[in-house]
């Protein structure tokens, strides 16, 4: 992918009428933190700048309460020009959304999602949702709630459980995976999805890659297109049992 192609991808996010984009940064072996929980910083400055450009391209950034507690993120745009998106925290267990830097009074909407419809901290708005059955939340329901609020371009930023739930529910249109040239060997994994019995059932999105100057590599995954079906690989792997 060229610099022009990279700019086109970012521009397309900002032009989209409606898009749900996931973003994750991890090591070569798929780790987002060490066994002790250290995660700052697996990816380099170029990846951080990319994340901020994504934030500047969307209406809202969504994280889980666990990420809020662990990282106390600002969720603002600082490494590029652009407007701060709405900052949204989902608390599916209703354990209580804590305060932190996400509540900075900078004019951006600060929104809490809770099954109880209540938040113990000062924020601009609280939206209630009804968990479906035994699941803590329905990603598609969350997307619809945000769209009804006027937040149609959403960046699902973390943590890994939230992002995995959105991917499992087929609620993401696109996924950006930023790979750092680093092998950690143990620790928390980035994505933990429902198990598959057959490789033929695995997602094979169309992917573009872009290498940054500091060694990080971006995988831009279009989850609404299936490269395997387009190339005939899915049928072939099913017939042959995906054997080499």
């Amino acid at each position: 992918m060229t610099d022009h192609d990279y700019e086109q991808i970012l521009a397309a996010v900002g032009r989209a009428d409606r898009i749900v984009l996931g973003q994750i940064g991890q090591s070569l072996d798929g780790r987002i933190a060490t066994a002790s929980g250290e995660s700052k910083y697996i990816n380099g400055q170029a990846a951080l700048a990319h994340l901020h450009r994504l934030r500047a391209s969307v209406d809202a950034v969504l994280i889980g309460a666990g990420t809020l507690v662990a990282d106390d993120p600002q969720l603002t745009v600082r490494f590029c020009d652009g407007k701060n998106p709405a900052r949204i925290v989902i608390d599916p267990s209703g354990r209580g959304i804590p305060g932190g830097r996400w509540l900075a009074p900078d004019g951006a909407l600060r929104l809490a999602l809770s099954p109880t419809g209540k938040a113990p901290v000062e924020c601009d708005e609280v939206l209630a949702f009804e968990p479906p059955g035994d699941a803590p939340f329905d990603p598609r329901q969350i997307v619809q709630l945000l769209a009804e609020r006027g937040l149609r371009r959403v960046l699902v930023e973390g943590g890994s459980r939230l992002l995995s739930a959105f991917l499992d529910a087929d609620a993401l249109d696109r996924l950006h995976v930023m790979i750092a040239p680093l092998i950690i060997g143990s620790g928390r994994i980035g994505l933990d999805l429902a198990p598959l019995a057959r490789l033929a059932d695995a997602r094979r999105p169309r992917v573009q890659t872009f290498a940054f100057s500091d060694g990080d590599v971006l995988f831009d995954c279009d989850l609404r297109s299936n490269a395997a079906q387009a190339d005939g690989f899915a049928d072939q792997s099913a017939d042959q049992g995906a054997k080499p």
Side-chain angles (χ1 to χ4, degrees):
M1 185 193 301
T2 66
D3 289 340
H4 174 73
D5 294 327
Y6 171 69
E7 294 297 332
Q8 289 294 102
I9 286 175
L10 289 172
V13 173
R15 290 195 305 265
D17 176 64
R18 184 168 179 169
I19 187 172
V20 183
L21 170 68
Q23 194 280 154
I24 188 169
Q26 60 186 43
S27 64
L28 279 171
D29 54 341
R31 309 291 176 172
I32 61 171
T34 65
S36 65
E38 183 181 353
S39 60
K40 294 184 179 180
Y41 289 99
I42 288 177
N43 297 100
Q45 287 298 312
L48 189 59
H50 172 72
L51 174 59
H52 283 238
R53 294 189 69 180
L54 290 181
R55 289 177 181 173
S57 301
V58 298
D59 302 319
V61 174
L62 174 65
I63 65 168
T67 296
L68 181 63
V69 172
D71 298 337
D72 189 22
Q74 298 181 62
L75 305 178
T76 55
V77 176
R78 303 184 303 281
F79 291 92
C80 67
D81 294 330
K83 181 181 178 181
N84 289 332
R87 300 189 287 271
I88 305 170
V89 177
I90 180 172
D91 180 22
S93 66
R95 63 179 174 176
I97 301 173
R101 297 189 295 175
W102 77 290
L103 289 170
D106 57 6
L109 175 68
R110 302 159 303 174
L111 176 65
L113 293 167
S114 169
T116 63
K118 298 179 181 179
V121 297
E122 189 69 27
C123 59
D124 298 307
E125 190 174 345
V126 182
L127 291 181
F129 64 89
E130 184 176 350
D134 295 332
F137 66 96
D138 178 359
R140 289 184 169 274
Q141 179 192 32
I142 299 302
V143 171
Q144 185 58 36
L145 281 173
L146 297 180
E148 291 171 357
R149 184 61 180 74
L151 305 171
R152 300 172 61 85
R153 297 192 306 271
V154 179
L155 172 62
V156 182
E157 192 168 315
S160 61
R161 290 182 181 177
L162 181 68
L163 191 58
S164 296
F166 268 73
L167 187 53
D168 260 336
D170 196 28
L172 294 178
D173 300 303
R174 220 167 187 95
L175 176 65
H176 281 190
V177 182
M178 189 71 73
I179 306 293
L182 175 70
I183 297 174
I184 299 175
S186 62
R188 288 161 49 195
I189 61 173
L191 295 173
D192 188 9
L193 305 177
L196 296 175
R198 306 186 316 149
L199 282 177
D201 295 329
R203 295 175 177 84
R204 294 184 185 272
R206 288 208 172 275
V207 174
Q208 297 185 86
T209 60
F210 182 81
F212 291 94
S213 59
D214 58 3
D216 281 6
V217 178
L218 169 66
F219 286 74
D220 169 54
C221 308
D222 181 359
L223 298 171
R224 297 303 176 216
S225 65
N226 192 320
Q229 290 181 355
D231 297 337
F233 180 83
D235 294 336
Q236 177 183 354
S237 61
D239 292 339
Q240 299 180 0
K243 296 178 181 179

